[in-house]
Amino acid sequence: MNEHNPITVRIDEMVQVWKKNVQPQHHLIRWMLKPEDHRMYEGFCRLEASPHGKLDNLFVFFYTSFSQTGTYSHALLQNWLNEYDDEQNQKLLARAGKGIWDVAPIRKAVTEKDYTACDQLLPAMIQSYRNFIGQPNTLFVLGLLPKQMSSPDQFQQWIQQWMEQPKQPGIQLLVFDHVDGNFWGHVFENYADHAVTLKHDLRMQDAIRQIATAGAATDPYAFFRKCMFEMGAAANKKNKPLLYEWGEKAIESGKKTGDKSLLATAYITFAGMLFNFKDHERINELLDTGIRLCKQEIAGGNESIKPLLLQYYTYKGADCQIQKERKEALEWFMKAGNEAVAFGFASQAVSAYYKAWIFADYKGWKEEKLQAGKQALQLTNQLTDEEIQASEYPFMAYDYVQQKQQEEDSLAEIVTHKMLAAYGPDWQQTIEELKQNYTRKKIRQANAGEIMVS
């Protein structure tokens, strides 16, 4: 690894913070970072879970989605068993001269969905793994970064439950927390004698700028990236003339590259930053020019620019919304959804329809809200369980099923079946808890004219 690489430098800093602060008596550890730093947390965990790790600890790292307190240990065990059963992993273990890992009791509990047993078996599986690889006393770190989090409160309950489980010495749980959110603060306070919080300013904007703008001064792509960062800096300073200067340079640079996708990115980025200045005339000019460019490229066979066209439609809707052209805004959000369906982008379509759905809900337009929700839910069979969990689909599903629960409705039946598969029998309770936090946030954004950036 290049020791001067900005990312490598920051991971090395994280290693040093760990060495300085984490002690064997700490059973609970968290990295307290900015939300945008989660990739560095992930990189740190992935590195330490690899043969190239710089710490002496044994790391195992999972992205396992969190649905509810009672089922999460089961989900982690199932994930771990799937990794162990992977054919490639089995070959690596065989080459390393490892025998068979006896996981029969764990496999039985997972297969039978004995959630209580799974809670008790997770620490046991960790110790079993330490014994299996011949390091029974080495400090073990279970690192978690759930790719989907349905309820932060329930996740904190799971951490509390984990801390109460009997464990062998030297087993540590590592989680990620937001420096401004302090989501797990209560449980860390409860176990202050056995918990440690790690904080470090990773200066990620500086790192990204260094990486993105690296290159010769005559390289138009490097200069284009420089324009993007300078535009962002000007917008943050609320310096409109400077933003205009770098925005125009970005457009000229995009033209010089001959890369139409890059040029379309310049138009929409410039327009997006002008939202703060409510320069609607220039915003519309940029967006309309970009839409024409995207359509020409798509007609010419450039499939890669399709997602950008959908983003343009959403920006148009947001600009109409800010100008109180509410029906036009809704039309643009729906247009983004309809076009995404035509492109075969089911997940993007759901997201676009959700923008229309939440906006119509905010305005009290019942028919328009119902239509947006139905358009999204008609894509049900095109979506995997993982795509369902990672999207806004569950909110529209919950609302629709609630409306149709007193009548026969084939779409409601399809949606219910999908939600049962994705979230289990208590799916409505799970989504109600998530909805209380998430939808309130979206409605506030709609009120502030921020739906475009959600």
Side-chain angles (χ1 to χ4, degrees), residues 264 267 285-295 309 312:
Y267 287 129
E285 180 186 327
L286 290 165
L287 294 178
D288 291 343
T289 302
I291 287 172
R292 288 195 298 272
L293 175 61
C294 288
K295 286 184 173 180
L309 178 60
Y312 267 102

Side-chain angles (χ1 to χ4, degrees), residues 321 326 357-365 443-444 446-448:
Q321 179 186 339
R326 297 183 176 97
W357 184 85
I358 195 69
F359 183 55
D361 183 57
Y362 166 67
K363 296 306 300 177
W365 296 339
I443 290 174
R444 286 197 302 269
N447 191 32

Side-chain angles (χ1 to χ4, degrees), residues 217-356:
T218 55
D219 179 358
Y221 287 93
F223 184 71
F224 180 84
R225 294 191 295 269
K226 178 178 175 61
C227 291
M228 293 291 107
F229 279 101
E230 295 299 341
M231 286 167 63
N236 288 334
K237 294 175 184 175
K238 302 189 186 306
N239 188 331
K240 186 177 178 181
L242 189 60
L243 173 59
Y244 258 83
E245 178 184 338
W246 283 105
E248 296 298 341
K249 286 181 179 180
I251 291 170
E252 287 305 309
S253 178
K255 289 177 179 177
K256 285 180 181 178
T257 66
D259 185 332
K260 297 301 175 61
S261 295
L262 212 64
L263 180 56
T265 300
Y267 287 129
I268 197 169
T269 303
F270 190 9
M273 291 186 181
L274 285 173
F275 271 80
N276 291 327
F277 300 95
K278 297 184 179 180
D279 189 345
H280 299 296
E281 183 177 351
R282 184 62 171 139
I283 289 169
N284 270 294
E285 180 186 327
L286 290 165
L287 294 178
D288 291 343
T289 302
I291 287 172
R292 288 195 298 272
L293 175 61
C294 288
K295 286 184 173 180
Q296 289 169 3
E297 284 296 294
I298 292 168
N302 184 354
E303 299 281 320
S304 66
I305 211 167
K306 286 180 175 179
L308 195 54
L309 178 60
L310 301 179
Q311 191 175 2
Y312 267 102
Y313 290 156
T314 305
Y315 273 48
K316 285 287 289 186
D319 189 51
C320 290
Q321 179 186 339
I322 292 170
Q323 297 183 76
K324 301 190 183 306
E325 297 169 352
R326 297 183 176 97
K327 289 293 183 181
E328 291 85 349
L330 189 66
E331 288 171 7
W332 280 108
F333 295 142
M334 291 298 292
K335 185 176 179 64
N338 295 340
E339 196 87 322
V341 172
F343 291 158
F345 299 159
S347 292
Q348 291 91 325
V350 168
S351 183
Y353 287 135
Y354 179 75
K355 286 179 172 65

Side-chain angles (χ1 to χ4, degrees), residues 84-98:
Y84 173 66
D85 292 337
D86 180 74
E87 184 178 348
Q88 189 64 31
N89 191 37
Q90 288 292 315
K91 289 178 181 178
L92 290 172
L93 289 171
R95 282 202 294 269
K98 301 295 182 185

Side-chain angles (χ1 to χ4, degrees), residues 2 46 141 172 174 223 231 290 312 359 361 378-379 392 400 431:
N2 183 353
R46 286 173 64 86
V141 180
Q172 301 173 316
L174 171 64
F223 184 71
M231 286 167 63
Y312 267 102
F359 183 55
D361 183 57
Q378 283 166 2
L379 301 170
E392 300 95 343
Y400 189 79
I431 303 308

